[in-house]
């Protein structure tokens, strides 16, 4: 994923193959003004992210967000306190070196290059920073899983010829608890902080981010019974931090202590671990976050985490299944074409992708379910449904869309025709 370093290298773009699929790479992306991107999925995920790393994400709607749903300008500037956070320290020849990838406040401390990779399907986005002085590279990719939520897949690589012992803090900041409405996020965010409760199940490493109660100004009981969950796979012996308060201690070289309960402050999920990296080797791990989990789902996940390897395989399978389903959705819109220029092929796919996001596709090759059609007419207009009850009851289980339109047109009822369209 790297290229020969050139301190004056301009921003360039090219297609590369990563993880068995095609990505578009933007080299030296930090030399561009920040720009905004989206990551799509086959399910109900939404994720809007800046090239700085700041992001907002969630499932279904802003009412069920993982990170605060706010305006673009605030997202562009949110990198220091929201989303991904990584701190690395290592000793080389008796000197302690600290490196915080993607922290623009530290630009100039090392000779670095930053690259961005997005797959052609549009459901994976990878950030990479290479520290040429320390001969280390750090990468993380955002993926989606219908069953497990959002997956942040990480890799730390030793590109040099020396054995390195590395101390690491990595994870997510400003995680929203379940039940935080969009109004609360934007209008009373400080009040939301007061209600926040972050807890760690030490045996499984699973963290729960909840509200002590529903936020209301009425004199009524209002329980908050759902949780945002986060867990880590791929590391051993790590400490988990539920807030960002100990980051200053890490920067000072002070030992960190695991946190099992935090209240009244923004929640984080940060893992602290020491790694030994042989020359030309790397370590990989992932953090998995999901929103609006009920009690049964939380207990089930905690039980499954007794076998982390099985969970890792299930997450990987779910991510792969999601990519396959997304590709099938896009294929139904004729998104995949082949030309002599890969840029043209990718541009066509992107056009179809965003048209599909705006307008959807015709499901099942223009075959309409008569049951769904009848139920829709009955819900939208009972009088129209009753006028044509005999016709609607006599439709075959499945019929072609054009045939349905022709049948409706023969009834000479503008209201039925309007509702059908």
């Amino acid at each position: 994923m790297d290229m020969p370093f050139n301190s004056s290298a301009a921003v360039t773009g090219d297609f590369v193959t990563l993880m068995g699929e095609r990505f578009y790479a933007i080299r030296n992306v930090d030399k561009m003004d920040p720009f905004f991107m989206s990551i799509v999925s086959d399910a109900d995920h939404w994720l809007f992210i800046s090239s700085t790393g700041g992001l907002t994400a969630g499932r279904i709607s802003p009412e069920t967000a993982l990170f605060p749903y706010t305006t673009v300008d605030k997202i562009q500037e949110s990198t220091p306190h929201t989303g991904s956070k990584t701190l690395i320290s290592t000793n080389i020849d008796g000197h302690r070196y600290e490196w915080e990838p993607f922290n623009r406040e530290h630009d100039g401390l090392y000779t670095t290059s930053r690259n961005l990779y997005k797959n052609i399907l549009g459901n994976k986005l990878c950030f990479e920073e290479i520290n040429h002085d320390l001969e280390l590279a750090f990468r993380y990719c955002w993926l989606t899983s219908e069953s497990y939520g959002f997956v942040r897949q990480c890799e730390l690589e030793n590109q040099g010829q020396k054995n390195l012992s590395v101390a690491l803090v990595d994870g997510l900041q400003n995680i929203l608890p379940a039940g935080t409405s969009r109004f609360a996020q934007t209008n009373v965010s400080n009040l939301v902080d007061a209600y926040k409760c972050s807890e760690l199940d030490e045996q499984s490493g699973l963290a729960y981010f909840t509200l002590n109660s529903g936020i209301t100004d009425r004199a009524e009981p209002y329980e908050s019974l759902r949780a945002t969950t986060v867990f880590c796979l791929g590391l051993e012996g790590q400490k988990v931090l539920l807030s960002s308060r100990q980051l200053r201690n890490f920067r000072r070289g002070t030992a960190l202590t695991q946190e099992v309960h935090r209240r009244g402050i923004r929640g984080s999920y940060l893992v602290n671990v020491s790694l030994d990296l042989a020359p030309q080797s790397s370590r990989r791990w992932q953090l998995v976050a999901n929103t609006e989990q009920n009690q049964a789902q939380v207990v089930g996940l905690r039980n499954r985490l007794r076998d982390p390897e099985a969970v890792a395989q299930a997450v990987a399978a779910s991510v792969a299944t999601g990519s396959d389903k997304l590709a099938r959705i896009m294929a139904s819109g004729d998104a995949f074409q082949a030309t002599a220029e890969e840029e043209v092929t990718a541009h066509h796919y992107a056009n179809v992708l965003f048209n599909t996001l705006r307008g959807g596709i015709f499901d099942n090759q223009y075959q309409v379910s008569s049951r769904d059609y009848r139920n829709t007419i009955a819900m939208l207009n009972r009088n129209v449904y009753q006028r044509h009850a005999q016709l609607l009851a006599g439709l075959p289980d499945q019929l072609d869309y054009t045939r349905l339109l022709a049948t409706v047109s023969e009834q000479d009822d503008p209201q039925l025709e309007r509702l059908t369209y």
Side-chain angles (χ1 to χ4, degrees):
M1 295 173 67
D2 193 13
M3 70 175 186
F5 176 71
N6 180 351
S7 60
S8 61
V11 177
T12 61
D14 61 326
F15 289 93
V16 297
T17 299
L18 304 173
M19 299 181 285
E21 61 181 300
R22 295 296 275 174
F23 280 71
Y24 188 77
I26 302 178
R27 316 277 183 175
N28 300 302
V29 67
D30 55 311
K31 296 185 179 181
M32 300 174 63
D33 288 335
F35 57 90
F36 214 45
M37 299 164 283
S38 61
I39 298 177
V40 301
S41 82
D42 67 300
D44 57 7
H45 307 80
W46 52 268
L47 193 156
F48 302 102
I49 188 165
S50 168
S51 57
T52 66
L55 79 164
T56 179
R59 304 191 71 165
I60 301 176
S61 77
E63 302 292 321
T64 51
L66 176 62
F67 303 108
Y69 185 86
T70 185
T71 54
V72 173
D73 58 326
K74 293 179 181 178
I75 292 173
Q76 303 275 29
E77 299 167 355
S78 69
T79 310
H81 56 75
T82 298
S84 299
K85 190 70 173 180
T86 307
L87 292 80
I88 296 168
S89 71
T90 184
N91 284 285
I92 302 176
D93 298 329
H95 296 280
R96 184 172 185 266
Y97 295 91
E98 298 179 9
W99 175 38
E100 298 188 17
F102 312 107
N103 186 343
R104 295 201 172 200
E105 294 180 0
H106 289 198
D107 287 357
L109 294 179
Y110 298 100
T111 303
T112 61
S113 55
R114 293 179 183 140
N115 306 314
L116 188 67
Y117 305 83
K118 188 175 184 182
N119 71 333
I120 302 303
L121 275 179
N123 65 340
K124 298 177 183 178
L125 181 69
C126 301
F127 291 79
E128 175 185 61
E129 180 167 328
I130 302 168
N131 189 317
H132 300 277
D133 296 329
L134 301 181
E135 297 185 301
L136 284 170
F138 177 71
R139 308 177 184 99
Y140 71 88
C141 300
W142 282 109
L143 318 171
T144 58
S145 159
E146 183 171 9
S147 301
Y148 290 91
F150 294 89
V151 182
R152 181 175 171 271
Q153 191 167 282
C154 307
E155 179 183 16
L156 180 63
E157 180 184 6
N158 179 3
Q159 297 184 333
Q161 301 302 319
K162 298 179 180 179
N163 291 306
L164 292 180
S165 294
V166 174
L168 170 77
V169 170
D170 178 71
L172 304 171
Q173 297 187 110
N174 201 10
I175 300 168
L176 283 179
T180 308
S181 67
R182 182 179 180 182
F183 176 84
Q185 295 173 46
T186 56
N187 292 72
V188 290
S189 57
N190 193 51
L191 178 63
V192 175
D193 288 346
Y195 277 75
K196 288 178 180 177
C197 180
S198 307
E199 300 177 80
L200 175 69
D201 177 64
E202 294 187 273
Q203 184 174 2
S204 64
L206 178 65
Y208 323 117
F209 300 88
T210 60
L211 295 173
N212 286 321
S213 68
I215 300 175
T216 179
D217 58 359
R218 297 180 179 178
E220 61 183 5
Y222 189 8
E223 292 184 282
S224 180
L225 300 177
R226 292 180 180 268
T228 296
T229 58
V230 185
F231 62 91
C232 178
L233 297 169
L235 296 175
E236 301 83 31
Q238 71 270 22
K239 300 173 185 175
V240 177
L241 313 179
L242 297 178
S243 72
S244 302
R245 291 188 169 181
Q246 294 190 63
L247 294 184
R248 67 180 66 182
N249 294 338
F250 182 84
R251 294 184 178 107
R252 295 169 180 168
T254 305
L256 307 185
T257 57
Q258 180 158 284
E259 300 172 356
V260 296
H261 198 186
R262 284 289 190 181
R263 287 190 176 188
I265 59 174
R266 293 180 177 181
S268 298
Y269 189 96
L270 300 162
V271 292
N272 171 223
V273 68
S274 296
L275 303 173
D276 292 321
L277 294 174
Q280 306 298 312
S281 69
S282 66
R283 284 293 303 271
R284 296 181 177 88
W285 65 95
Q286 54 188 345
L287 288 95
V288 185
N290 210 354
T291 61
E292 295 296 315
Q293 298 295 286
N294 62 34
Q295 294 168 342
Q297 290 170 321
V298 170
V299 171
L301 178 57
R302 186 178 63 191
N303 291 337
R304 290 194 298 276
L305 284 170
R306 294 173 182 170
D307 187 351
E309 183 59 33
V311 175
Q313 293 176 4
V315 171
S318 180
V319 170
T321 298
S323 292
D324 180 71
K325 288 182 177 180
L326 175 61
R328 291 175 184 274
I329 291 171
M330 298 309 301
S332 66
D334 196 24
F336 297 103
Q337 296 186 3
T339 72
E341 296 182 64
E342 193 167 6
E343 292 89 346
V344 175
T345 303
H347 188 260
H348 170 77
Y349 175 88
N351 280 340
V352 177
L353 171 63
F354 286 99
N355 285 337
T356 300
L357 288 170
R358 283 189 290 264
I361 59 171
F362 283 105
D363 193 28
N364 194 24
Q365 299 298 313
Y366 293 84
Q367 296 298 305
V368 177
S369 164
S370 295
R371 182 184 65 182
D372 290 346
Y373 174 63
R374 283 193 297 269
N375 290 342
T376 300
I377 299 299
M379 178 183 66
L380 295 177
N381 193 313
R382 285 177 291 177
N383 293 332
V384 172
Y385 175 78
Q386 292 168 0
R387 281 203 305 270
H388 300 280
Q390 185 174 357
L391 169 71
L392 296 172
L395 294 174
D397 292 340
Q398 298 277 340
L399 73 163
D400 183 78
Y401 173 66
T402 55
R403 180 184 168 190
L404 174 62
L405 291 181
T407 301
V408 168
S409 180
E410 293 171 358
Q411 308 310 308
D412 195 25
D413 186 336
Q415 292 301 320
L416 178 62
E417 191 168 357
R418 175 182 65 82
L419 295 174
T420 301
Y421 273 113

